[in-house]
Amino acid sequence: MKFFHYLVFFGLILYGQSQPPCKGVIRGQVLDVDTKEPLPFATVIIVDSQNGVVSDENGFFSLTGICEEEVHLEVQFVGYKKLIHHHDFHHSDPVIYMASDETLLESIIVEESRSEELQSLSIQRKEIDKLSLVSTSIGDLTEQLTGVSILKTGANISKPIIHGLHSNRVLVINDGVRHAYQVWGQEHAPEIDPSHVDQIEIVKGAGTVKYGPEALGGVILYNSKKPAFNKSLNGSIATSYQTNGRANSGKVSIGQGLHRFAWNVGGFGIYQGDLEAPDYNLSNTGKREYGGSFNTLLHQPKFDLQVTGSYYEQKLGILRASIVGNLRDLQNAIDRDVPNPTFDPTHDIQNPRQETTHGLLKSNLSVFLGEHVFNLQYAVQQNVRREFDVRRGELNERPVIDLKLVSHSIETEWIQPRKGRWSGNSGVQLYTQKSVNEPGSNPINFVPDYDVFNIGAFTIQSYNLDGTTLEMGARFDFQTLSVADTIRDTFTYANEVDFSNATFTLGLRKQLGEGLSLFSNIGSAWRPPNVAELYSFGYHHSRIQFGLWRYELEPSIATPLNRIFDESDRPVPIEKGIKWVSGIELKKAKTTAEFIFHANKINDYIFLRPYGVTTNVAGTFAYFIYDQTDALFLGSDLDIRYNHTNQLTSEVKISYVYAKSTDRQQPLIEIPPLNVNYTIELEKGPWSYGLNLNYTAQQWNAPAVIEPIRIDDGDVEVDRNIDIFDFMVPPQDFFLIGADVKYEKNHWNFELKVNNIINSNFRIYTDRLRYFSDAPGRNFSISAAYQF
């Protein structure tokens, strides 16, 4: 019997010695959430174990000998809030941001699902202050990033511009899903709830390989706050008021995290009246916005399941003075200092106006099979857009545009196991869109009913060698655009067009020294013409426009067609571009800097340009036609942030874009001018103070100018069939000053902010209503938030 016991004992010893050692490793860094400086000698341990380490002088740590696939990390630092975080090896190594005991901010860990991003691209991230003013629009949030401008239609409607490109050339990803809306309209802003956004990422390169067509300018990702595990019930309530527009707004968020299930929900609302320029009221510029969202996450050892949803509703007034009755009124509107008509301020919203709703429901399943990760995502979206014009009688309440867009998307992705120095991922993406004109709106549909079907496959491979990363990517897409137009139950026309193209990317990122890196990426991109560029016809918010297949050029005039062209009458090639982005990044203890140079050559660039003036029953309007040319975009972005002390920080941002038609040797219209932005921030105990100085130059690289009255008189010195021109000289340069004061105490946060302190009169070159009015003047805003 004793011999048997000894045999078992030695057998267990030998068995234990034969077991392979635990090889799990977690590496990460501990930083201050406010200053982003490293926290040396922070304690990082695995809960319920003896495995723990202390971070080095740069905040880095490494936990080794881990057997479990999932662990709980506990991070502590004297004077900072303790953090417990659930970590598994299907996510990247964590970056831990510790919050001081004196701040309302919470300690957080940033880690992404293990996926392969193009490191050779410039990817800029901005964390959104969830306690900031709740009346901020999604456009205002995006404009804060370097290299991003805003295309406006008045003060309420804005969409992002990256390196001079916008609309169908900037891909918007909302919570991991291609945002499906009537993107063809320059006055159609993406319907995204700003209170739902926790982080914004800007990919300043030809992101077509990863994200699909329509990313010639870049990609903007609006990411929501991911539910956190092992967290008690928490949330925030915020409210704000602003003087310009007498706007009230509020939002609420709440969330909770259990061991394997977490959730959060939120909602917001904005009620705004007419905005005011320094010298007059901007009549009919009120807005209403409401929305809500939810986010759930279920985690199991072999899979993650995330289900999210959001709803957004808005009603936006359009400047009443943008509607004019005759040619002389149009010329007077451009010449006069005060728009006509101008009424007393009110919260009422009259015509012209927009009403839109957007709903999104998404599910994402991540399956972990050994070192392989498979992602499957399905999303459905519905977008309803109704636009109202100034009309007579009962027609005034009947929309001139009434569109319903339903979209479905399915995406699969395989993230490969890392093999030596190689890593990568591949995937297949499919999406469909169906847009219909609701009956009873305009006698002539501005765009026809249309269906879009797109399927694409991509692969990205990366090779890492001693501080150098080489990247390659390829993609192929096939897309079908089907249109049909029926007016008052009468069929008018139908067509179907197929497009396909392959794209590539090749990139390099090299570490030149401690905190200094060089990156360069060259990639191709493409996009097919959209439905408006081919088929738009008629009046649309202060202008009349015709698509490429809806007009015919004759001597000195573009004549609308009674019939519809197709590819046999006027071939419309797809846009093809080659974009090169190179830059240098510097990350030191006191200085963070990035310099980017970009060049983008686009063949068969489709653009909307002024052509003439015309009159219909609604009044006299400038009219525009879609045209094609070869174009070149050159520019640079500079962003330098310097920590003078632990309390004092300053940042300067400079962006410039030069663009022209290369075959006509003429400047393009509505390209953002030079912009210089300087911010300085001082933190002193619970108080913080900020000052912002912003200079925007006059666009000196602008097309020729032909006033509307000269077109009618025949006093024109250019060939309107070829030459690019504008109706108005670019606005003068302007200088704006802003300031803010914040106070944080216990669970409370207060903020006082003022924009345009000196109440400057200015107009924005990329504002489509610059012909009719100045931009809004001085604005005071105050907000209060409670966090629990």
Side-chain angles (χ1 to χ4, degrees):
M1 193 67 177
K2 288 183 179 180
F3 175 77
F4 176 75
H5 287 167
Y6 286 130
L7 186 62
V8 172
F9 176 74
F10 285 113
L12 290 174
I13 292 177
L14 292 174
Y15 176 78
Q17 292 177 343
S18 67
Q19 295 304 297
C22 298
K23 296 183 178 180
V25 179
I26 300 175
R27 297 182 178 88
Q29 188 179 21
V30 184
L31 305 172
D32 184 289
V33 71
D34 287 317
T35 67
K36 305 301 185 291
E37 292 186 351
L39 295 179
F41 314 118
T43 302
V44 184
I45 65 173
I46 297 176
V47 177
D48 297 330
S49 79
Q50 301 299 315
N51 194 347
V53 295
V54 174
S55 62
D56 64 18
E57 62 273 12
N58 294 315
F60 291 102
F61 67 89
S62 178
L63 287 163
T64 60
I66 302 172
C67 299
E68 299 84 358
E69 292 187 0
E70 302 181 7
V71 297
H72 285 88
L73 298 179
E74 181 180 292
V75 188
Q76 296 188 64
F77 190 78
V78 177
Y80 285 73
K81 299 175 183 178
K82 182 175 72 173
L83 176 66
I84 297 179
H85 173 71
H86 178 86
H87 179 80
D88 61 50
F89 290 97
H90 307 298
H91 292 80
S92 61
D93 292 331
V95 179
I96 301 165
Y97 293 93
M98 302 291 290
S100 168
D101 289 333
E102 299 177 355
T103 183
L104 286 179
L105 298 174
E106 292 294 326
S107 298
I108 59 174
I109 287 186
V110 176
E111 62 176 13
E112 303 295 336
S113 298
R114 187 167 63 82
S115 182
E116 300 304 320
E117 296 291 345
L118 289 170
Q119 299 179 45
S120 59
L121 287 175
S122 170
I123 301 179
Q124 186 179 6
R125 294 178 174 86
K126 178 177 178 59
E127 308 297 327
I128 304 303
D129 182 0
K130 302 305 288 183
L131 302 180
S132 64
L133 288 172
V134 294
S135 57
T136 301
S137 69
I138 196 68
D140 294 334
L141 292 177
T142 311
E143 193 176 18
Q144 298 174 22
L145 285 92
T146 311
V148 179
S149 305
I150 295 298
L151 179 70
K152 290 178 172 288
T153 302
N156 293 329
I157 302 173
S158 59
K159 60 195 314 181
I161 305 173
I162 299 179
H163 295 165
L165 300 175
H166 58 80
S167 300
N168 276 83
R169 300 180 186 92
V170 172
L171 194 57
V172 175
I173 306 295
N174 180 19
D175 217 3
V177 180
R178 171 192 285 257
H179 186 61
Y181 68 115
Q182 303 288 356
V183 65
W184 49 264
Q186 295 185 8
E187 57 291 301
H188 299 170
E191 303 89 352
I192 297 176
D193 172 6
S195 70
H196 184 62
V197 177
D198 187 64
Q199 182 194 68
I200 301 177
E201 294 182 86
I202 305 293
V203 182
K204 300 176 183 177
T208 301
V209 168
K210 173 73 175 179
Y211 299 101
E214 302 180 358
L216 283 90
V219 182
I220 300 181
L221 298 95
Y222 297 105
N223 302 321
S224 65
K225 183 178 181 180
K226 188 175 181 180
F229 297 110
N230 303 295
K231 199 167 187 179
S232 60
L233 190 68
N234 63 92
S236 65
I237 301 173
T239 184
S240 75
Y241 175 79
Q242 68 178 39
T243 57
N244 199 332
R246 302 168 309 287
N248 297 282
S249 55
K251 69 177 180 181
V252 60
S253 64
I254 188 170
Q256 185 180 26
L258 306 177
H259 178 57
R260 293 195 178 277
F261 180 75
W263 59 273
N264 59 53
V265 297
F268 87 107
I270 299 174
Y271 184 82
Q272 173 195 295
D274 287 343
L275 298 168
E276 296 180 23
D279 300 325
Y280 48 82
N281 183 54
L282 299 171
S283 297
N284 199 49
T285 54
K287 73 174 179 179
R288 315 280 187 268
E289 293 183 348
Y290 312 95
S293 61
F294 72 90
N295 200 337
T296 63
L297 178 61
L298 173 66
H299 174 70
Q300 294 295 324
K302 294 299 181 183
F303 71 88
D304 281 352
L305 177 62
Q306 186 175 14
V307 178
T308 63
S310 63
Y311 176 78
Y312 182 82
E313 179 177 335
Q314 65 179 186
K315 181 179 181 180
L316 306 175
I318 309 296
L319 182 72
R320 179 61 181 84
S322 64
I323 306 297
V324 292
N326 56 59
L327 182 60
R328 174 50 61 184
D329 287 344
L330 175 60
Q331 186 64 56
N332 289 340
I334 294 175
D335 294 339
R336 68 167 52 98
D337 294 327
V338 178
N340 182 40
T342 296
F343 308 111
D344 292 334
T346 177
H347 279 82
D348 295 337
I349 298 178
Q350 306 293 334
N351 293 356
R353 71 181 194 269
Q354 293 183 4
E355 296 179 359
T356 59
T357 63
H358 188 90
L360 164 67
L361 182 63
K362 181 198 77 171
S363 63
N364 184 285
L365 177 67
S366 297
V367 179
F368 314 123
L369 300 178
E371 296 184 2
H372 299 263
V373 178
F374 295 92
N375 295 320
L376 175 63
Q377 177 175 287
Y378 168 74
V380 58
Q381 301 176 72
Q382 177 174 284
N383 183 281
V384 177
R385 166 169 290 275
R386 307 176 79 213
E387 300 182 3
F388 298 81
D389 192 13
V390 177
R391 305 165 85 181
R392 297 177 180 177
E394 62 179 16
L395 293 178
N396 201 48
E397 291 305 313
R398 183 181 298 176
V400 295
I401 291 180
D402 193 351
L403 297 169
K404 180 179 179 181
L405 175 69
V406 177
S407 305
H408 301 269
S409 63
I410 299 176
E411 300 182 15
T412 62
E413 182 183 26
W414 168 47
I415 304 174
Q416 306 160 206
R418 300 181 185 270
K419 291 186 177 180
R421 301 183 184 276
W422 286 96
S423 60
N425 63 324
S426 305
V428 176
Q429 300 167 340
L430 181 149
Y431 70 86
T432 65
Q433 295 182 336
K434 184 177 183 62
S435 175
V436 297
N437 288 274
E438 296 296 326
S441 56
N442 213 24
I444 299 176
N445 293 327
F446 182 73
V447 293
D449 299 342
Y450 66 90
D451 292 338
V452 175
F453 173 85
N454 190 100
I455 185 168
F458 72 92
T459 185
I460 299 172
Q461 302 299 318
S462 178
Y463 182 80
N464 294 275
L465 177 63
D466 300 331
T468 300
T469 301
L470 296 172
E471 295 176 324
M472 298 161 286
R475 181 186 180 101
F476 181 80
D477 282 275
F478 174 82
Q479 184 175 119
T480 296
L481 171 65
S482 304
V483 302
D485 203 22
T486 303
I487 301 176
R488 295 175 178 172
D489 299 324
T490 301
F491 174 79
T492 57
Y493 66 89
N495 193 18
E496 181 174 297
V497 191
D498 295 333
F499 308 96
S500 62
N501 197 53
T503 52
F504 74 92
T505 185
L506 181 65
L508 165 74
R509 178 175 286 268
K510 183 174 180 58
Q511 200 75 22
L512 300 178
E514 184 178 353
L516 182 64
S517 60
L518 168 73
F519 61 89
S520 184
N521 178 281
I522 185 169
S524 64
W526 77 289
R527 75 171 188 93
N530 63 47
V531 65
E533 292 166 340
L534 295 176
Y535 296 102
S536 59
F537 187 86
Y539 174 74
H540 188 224
H541 278 325
S542 79
R543 62 172 61 172
I544 289 174
Q545 67 186 55
F546 302 112
L548 286 160
W549 287 346
R550 299 304 303 266
Y551 71 88
E552 186 171 23
L553 289 176
E554 298 178 359
S556 303
I557 191 170
T559 304
L561 292 170
N562 293 323
R563 70 182 185 91
I564 313 300
F565 276 167
D566 59 25
E567 57 272 27
S568 62
D569 299 301
R570 178 184 290 167
V572 179
I574 62 175
E575 288 186 359
K576 291 184 179 180
I578 296 289
K579 186 169 186 180
W580 176 45
V581 178
S582 289
I584 296 177
E585 287 183 355
L586 175 67
K587 294 182 179 180
K588 295 289 187 178
K590 286 184 171 293
T591 306
T592 301
E594 181 182 62
F595 173 76
I596 295 173
F597 171 78
H598 56 90
N600 199 354
K601 180 67 171 68
I602 303 177
N603 292 332
D604 300 307
Y605 175 80
I606 304 173
F607 68 111
L608 189 65
R609 66 179 180 89
Y611 190 88
V613 291
T614 188
T615 302
N616 62 16
V617 293
T620 297
F621 303 93
Y623 78 91
F624 293 64
I625 62 172
Y626 278 104
D627 201 354
Q628 281 192 287
T629 187
D630 293 339
L632 175 66
F633 295 78
L634 302 172
S636 61
D637 302 330
L638 175 66
D639 187 346
I640 302 175
R641 184 177 180 86
Y642 182 73
N643 297 321
H644 303 270
T645 67
N646 289 337
Q647 290 78 36
L648 184 64
T649 303
S650 63
E651 184 174 19
V652 61
K653 303 176 183 179
I654 303 175
S655 297
Y656 176 68
V657 177
Y658 169 86
K660 72 173 184 177
S661 164
T662 56
D663 53 351
R664 306 180 193 187
Q665 292 298 310
Q666 295 176 344
L668 295 175
I669 192 172
E670 294 181 341
I671 301 299
L674 171 70
N675 179 260
V676 181
N677 186 284
Y678 177 77
T679 301
I680 187 167
E681 299 174 343
L682 173 65
E683 294 186 5
K684 197 168 185 180
W687 293 90
S688 66
Y689 310 88
L691 178 67
N692 176 260
L693 309 176
N694 188 286
Y695 172 75
T696 300
Q698 185 179 32
Q699 179 55 277
W700 55 75
N701 183 44
V705 175
I706 303 178
E707 296 177 334
I709 198 71
R710 290 173 54 197
I711 296 176
D712 189 61
D713 294 340
D715 181 17
V716 177
E717 299 175 355
V718 301
D719 184 348
R720 290 190 292 154
N721 287 352
I722 298 176
D723 293 329
I724 303 170
F725 66 90
D726 197 0
F727 294 120
M728 180 180 178
V729 174
Q732 295 294 318
D733 61 340
F734 58 88
F735 179 72
L736 302 178
I737 302 176
D740 64 85
V741 178
K742 297 179 183 178
Y743 178 78
E744 295 182 1
K745 189 68 174 180
N746 297 326
H747 296 278
W748 288 95
N749 173 288
F750 300 94
E751 180 181 12
L752 174 64
K753 188 174 184 179
V754 57
N755 295 323
N756 194 3
I757 291 177
I758 58 179
N759 207 26
S760 299
N761 295 87
F762 68 100
R763 299 191 182 195
I764 301 172
Y765 182 59
T766 55
D767 187 346
R768 297 176 68 247
L769 298 189
R770 67 185 181 277
Y771 304 117
F772 306 104
S773 72
D774 292 340
R778 183 189 298 118
N779 179 45
F780 289 93
S781 56
I782 184 171
S783 68
Y786 179 77
Q787 189 175 23
F788 59 91

